[in-house]
Every structure is written in structure tokens, then in C-alpha cells.
Amino acid sequence: MTDPAADIILTTENLVKIYPGSDKPAVAGLTLNINRGTIYGLLGPNGAGKTTTISILCTLLQPSSGTATILGHDVARQAGAVRRKIGLVPQDIALYGSLTARENLRYFARMLKVSGTMIEDRVAECLQLVELQDCADQRVSTYSGGMKRRANLAVGILHQPDILFLDEPTVGIDAQSRNLILERLVELNRSGVTLVYTTHYMDEAQQICDEVAIVDGGKMIACGNPSRLVHDSVSCENLEELFLQLTGKQLRDRME
Amino acid sequence: MLLLANIKKELLLLSRDRLSLLVLFVMPMVLVLILSLIQDDIFRATGGAPTTALFVNLDAGDSGAELRRNLQSNGALTLVEDRAGEAFDVKSARQAVFSGDYQFAIIIPAAFTTEINQAAKESVQAALSHEDPSRRSSQITIVFDPAVRGVYRSAVLNALQLGVLGLELSRKSSAFEQLLPDELHRSMTEQMGSVFPVGMLPELPQISFDWTGQQLITLDEELASPEKYATLPTSVQQNVPAWTLFGMFFIVIPLAGTLIREREEGTLTRLMTMPVTNSSLLLGKVSAHLLICMIQFGLMLMVGKFLLPLFGTPVLELGSSPFALMLVAVSAALAACGYGILVGVVARSYDQAAIFGSVSIVIAAALGGVMVPIYVMPRFMQTLSIISPLGWGLDAFLDIFVRGGHLTTVLPRVAALGGFFLLCMIVAMVIFQRWRRGN
């Protein structure tokens, strides 16, 4: 019999983040347990605390209280060890527009400490995975929105991370690019990469996620397999209806 | 109506970035203040604040003291004779000028009074006897810093000439007063014998007025350099290093810009999730921009060496210590890059960095003597000028280009520039680390 704890790759316990000058927590006691090899969707309306949670898990923010560990390493105290295990595909197109995709990937591969002899192979593999090999030597600034998103994804997987965080990776792109990205994410997951994923597209989450957590006001309000959550609900036919039922239809405008 | 709407929108956008507006208003005000103050003395009709010069009076008589009074009373020079109660001698005065502490030293020889009195007497005698004027004169030595620009050297020499002229007139008048009665008596005796009728006018002695133009005192200009220069330092020797340094410091704007753009575009956030240290991120930027600065430096030297002479200027001479020159260039470039990193981590937008960076460099250049030499600034601005890294760099460059300095001469300023770089980097690292930890 295997120890269930051994399969947990990421855990948070009573995670709290209060930004300086704010009296309301962005994350208010969030507890998560994410198993290795899953696609985990972190869903919530604007201002729910999704990006803050991912920022803490990616060592970009210090939690105000609570703990978060990835592969047994505390994200606050062992940030260096955590950074070697994680990949991030941020919401912004975090690439150098005046460099080509290949030059961007080579640079980030070095920053990710990919072995020197492996860099060219990994760059070629990642470019092929996101189907940018034919325009790899063009400047990123000349790319379409979908191509930029795919290049953004390629950088996140260069070093074959154990866990990949994706913050709305399909926002604002055409159906073809979106479909390709989702297919590649599933492929990556099959190769053993755990994915933690935020999106506002509920159909997307229902399509690819093994498990979702719906958060609102920094707290978890539902968690589980998306199909099962829909099935167990009273009157919802899909995840979007369940999401609106749980979080309400009130607009969630927020100030940055 | 469309125009009004566009104007309103632009004003609203401007008013939203209050820090940029503050920088936009405050920095030019500081610039105007600083530039007006440092140039105040140059443009003042009265000649403004006097130039300070060392005065070493070895004269045993009273002429040296009289010259000092003349110079002080015409208001163009402030004479300093001691440091902390210890009188300057010829050696210490030369050293003080060589090291750049003072720009001029006036040295009055020991036999000054005797020599000019004798010269005056011989000159008047020659005038009365229709002989050639005497060639005898006394020599005052003026030691000056090779870094002093020609126009200021001329101003000091003119002031000194004025003082010397007064002294010469006084000495020639005295000699004339003494010699004229004797000469009258001799002339009358020659023409009329020992007794001549009362009321009879004798023929007065004929006087040759060539004596009035004869110099009793000559001024000998001397450069304060261990190995005397055959020629005076040219404007190219003085201007090329000054403006090269000014240009090098403008690396601040692109360097700060890369940091700000990375922050705005999200690449910095991405890098912060990677196993890469702050120092490797920042030092990578410093190293690349240091290389750019050095290429820029090389190009500027080539302009001085090859391009300017095509327009009729003298050729830039690179001094006698290439290693010291490279060391100063590298330390100045490092100081510029360190400042660029600091501006990049402190500024919130590219606009802020561009305005603050460029205006602060112009202010530092003005304070550091790039535009107007420090020694002609008002006293309190001279005191303020010691905070300018451009001033340290310029002084070190001038040590090499015009003072014949070597490695040991420039080391203190190289250390100051290196210290400034380290200070900027430490402060930037602290701020950068706070970002990285999400504070």
C-alpha cells in the first residue's frame, strides 16, 4: 500500500497574504493538497486570490502567514530549491520582443540552468512542441498573439520542471492556438509534469483538469473533480453554471 | 472640440503620473539653480569672486609686500600664503599646484627689491644720458596647473600684470625723483659753470622717454609638472576627456531603461522565479553596459586623435600611462553603470528614469567642472563639487592628459569612483531583493 502523502507534490496550509496598506487579505487561509501528475485548476472570479496564490507558490511573494511546500521545500525559506523544480507561464508575454524566439529560449534555458550541451536540443524540442520551429528565428515582436502565447509556454517547460504553473495561458488568443496549447498541456501532463492552472474559461477547466479548486475572497469554496462537482450539484449542467452558483453573478471589479 | 478633448486627455494623463511631473518640474529647477550659480562669477561684469592663488614671497625688501597689496587691492586675486598656519615655500607651493589643490602660485624671488630698484635706477639713468635702456629685470615665477584653461590663465596673468605695472611705476618714479635733481645740477654746472646769474634759465637735460616702456619685472610662466611640458596643454587635451566622461555617464538612461522595461514587460518577474541570483542579473547588465562605455570611450579618443585634427585642432596626446588611463576609464564607466542600475531600481517608469537620469548627470557634470572649471565657481559651489563622481573622473583624466600623472596619481580618484559604484550596487541590491521577496 502506498503512502498517499508521498504523492502530494504541493501543499499549502492556512496560507494568508495581506498586502501592505490593505486590511482585507488577498488570500485568507487557503489549504491545498495537489497530487503529483494531476492537472489542477485554480478557478475564481477577478480578485479571488488566484494570481496571489501562484505568486507565493512561485516564490515571488512572501506569505503573511501559513505555509506552502513544493516537493517538501518550504517556498518562503527554501526559495532556491523550489525555483529549480518549478516552471511558470505568466499571464504577461514575458519575452524579449527584440530577440527571436530561439534567442529568448536559449537565454532562459541558461537562466534555468539547463546543461550547456542540452540547450540547443531542448530549445529545438520546445519550439517544435509549440509549433514555432519554422519562425524561431524571427523576432518575437513580429509574432501574432497566439504565437507569443505559445512561445511563452515554451519558456516555462525548457528545464522540464516537476510542476508547471500557468496563469491564464490561453487568454486573448484564437481558437486554433488555444486548442494547440491545451493539447500540449495534456501531453506534458502525460509525460509526468504536474500542472497548476488558472483560467476564466470554465469549459477549458472542465475539459482538461483532473481537479479544480474554486476560490473566492481568498478562500476555497469548492474542491474536487470538475465532473463530480457538477454531478453532485443540485441543478448545474456544467462547471460554468456551478461556478456562477457558488460565486454569484455580482460583478467583481477590483482596483489594482 | 476634438482638439480640446485631446488637450484635456493629455493633461489628465500627465496629471496621473505625479512623480514624473515632480521630476519634470523639480529637476530643471535644480539644473537652472546649479548652472546659474556655477557660472555666476564668469558672467558677472565686475569679474566676480577673486581667483585664489598661492603667494610665496621670498623678498627680503618691501617690494614683494607692495606687490601683494597691489594684487589684493585690484580685487582679481585672493592670495594664500599659508596652509593651517604653515607658510608655503617654493617646493610645497609647486606641489600644491601640481596636485590640483590650487591652480596658481606666484613666487617672488629673494632679491626682488634690490633687483627692481637697481633696474629702475639704471633705466632712469639711461634715459637721462641717452643711452640704451638697461636690460636688467627681476623675474616673478607663476606656476600654474596644466589643467587650467587658457582663458583663466590669461585672466590671472592680466591681474598680475596690473599689479606689476603699479609697482614698476612706483619704483621708476622713485628713481626719477632721486636722479633728476642731481642730473639738473650736473647739467647746469656743465653749461654755466659753478656760478650762474640768478634768473637765467639753463637748458634742461634732454630725457629719452623710452625708459617708460622698459620692464623692470618679467613674468615667467611655469607648468606645475614633474616633467615640464614643451608646450602648453591644448583645448583638445582639456575638452576631450571632459566631454568623453559626460557622454559615458549617459549610459545611465539605456541601462535604467532595460531594468524598467523588463519590469513592465514581465520578463523580470519570470527571471525571479528562476534559480538565478540577483547579483548575476544585475552584474550581467553592468558588464554589458561597461563594454558599451569602453567602446564609447575608445571612439571619443579616436575623435580627438584623428578626427579633430582634420578640422585644424591639435592632436590629442594620451599621456604617458596607458594603464592608468584604462583604469580611470573603467572605474568611471563602472560608476556610471552603478548609477544606472540604481536609477533603474528606484524609478517607477521609463519617463522618470529618463528625466531624472539625464538631468542628474547634467547637474553632476556641471558640479564636477565639465562645463565650467571648479576653481572659477563661487566658494560654496566649489565645496559642493566634491560630491560629483564626474568631478572625480574628470580630475583623474586631467591628471593623465594634462598633468602628466601616473597610476599612483589617479589611484585616490579611481578608489572614489569604485566606491561610488559599490555603494550604488549595494543600495540597488537591497531594493532589488525587497522586490524579489515581494515587499
Side-chain angles (χ1 to χ4, degrees), chain A residues 12-188:
Chain A
T12 71
E13 193 155 344
N14 289 320
L15 198 64
V16 174
K17 178 64 188 179
I18 304 170
Y19 285 106
S22 172
D23 52 355
K24 196 178 163 195
V27 178
L30 192 66
T31 297
L32 297 173
N33 287 299
I34 298 177
N35 287 327
R36 186 188 292 272
T38 55
I39 302 181
Y40 195 94
L42 202 55
L43 311 178
N46 286 338
K50 304 183 298 293
T51 300
T52 301
T53 303
I54 287 199
S55 295
I56 292 171
L57 295 173
C58 290
T59 74
L60 288 169
L61 282 176
Q62 289 274 58
S64 304
S65 64
T67 58
T69 57
I70 291 175
L71 288 161
H73 301 294
D74 188 297
V75 296
R77 289 197 295 267
Q78 295 167 293
V82 170
R83 286 175 191 145
R84 279 188 278 275
K85 304 285 182 188
I86 64 167
L88 171 68
V89 180
Q91 198 172 333
D92 296 321
I93 306 295
L95 300 167
Y96 295 97
S98 54
L99 301 186
T100 66
R102 195 186 305 281
E103 287 165 343
N104 267 287
L105 264 67
R106 276 186 192 138
Y107 168 68
F108 284 113
R110 291 207 179 276
M111 295 299 104
L112 288 162
K113 298 204 162 54
V114 175
S115 160
T117 54
M118 296 285 292
I119 287 177
E120 287 306 318
D121 290 346
R122 278 304 296 159
V123 167
E125 282 168 24
C126 291
L127 284 168
Q128 193 158 13
L129 188 82
V130 296
E131 296 190 9
L132 285 175
Q133 68 275 24
D134 293 338
C135 46
D137 296 313
Q138 288 176 23
R139 291 184 180 199
V140 169
S141 58
T142 64
Y143 282 9
S144 68
M147 291 163 84
K148 285 177 182 168
R149 286 269 161 218
R150 278 145 54 199
N152 209 27
L153 169 64
V155 172
I157 57 174
L158 271 167
H159 59 311
Q160 298 172 298
D162 290 292
I163 182 164
L164 180 64
F165 294 93
L166 301 112
D167 195 1
E168 301 189 36
T170 57
V171 72
I173 56 173
D174 62 20
Q176 286 76 12
S177 283
R178 186 178 168 205
N179 184 57
L180 185 129
I181 287 175
L182 293 178
E183 275 180 17
R184 295 301 178 259
L185 291 181
V186 171
E187 275 177 33
L188 278 170

Side-chain angles (χ1 to χ4, degrees), chain A residues 58-62 76 79 83-84 88-90 92-96 107-108 111-113 152 155-156, chain B residues 258 262-277 280-281 285 434-439:
Chain A
C58 290
T59 74
L60 288 169
L61 282 176
Q62 289 274 58
R83 286 175 191 145
R84 279 188 278 275
L88 171 68
V89 180
D92 296 321
I93 306 295
L95 300 167
Y96 295 97
Y107 168 68
F108 284 113
M111 295 299 104
L112 288 162
K113 298 204 162 54
N152 209 27
V155 172
Chain B
T258 65
E262 283 187 341
R263 212 161 67 201
E264 287 175 349
E265 291 169 358
T267 42
L268 194 60
T269 304
R270 171 167 247 160
L271 286 167
M272 285 177 174
T273 67
M274 296 181 176
V276 52
T277 58
S280 71
L281 281 176
K285 288 185 185 298
R434 283 169 64 89
W435 284 355
R436 196 161 187 174
R437 304 305 291 154
N439 294 318

Side-chain angles (χ1 to χ4, degrees), chain B residues 355-371:
Chain B
I355 298 167
F356 181 82
S358 54
V359 179
S360 62
I361 292 162
V362 174
I363 290 171
L367 277 178
V370 170
M371 295 160 187

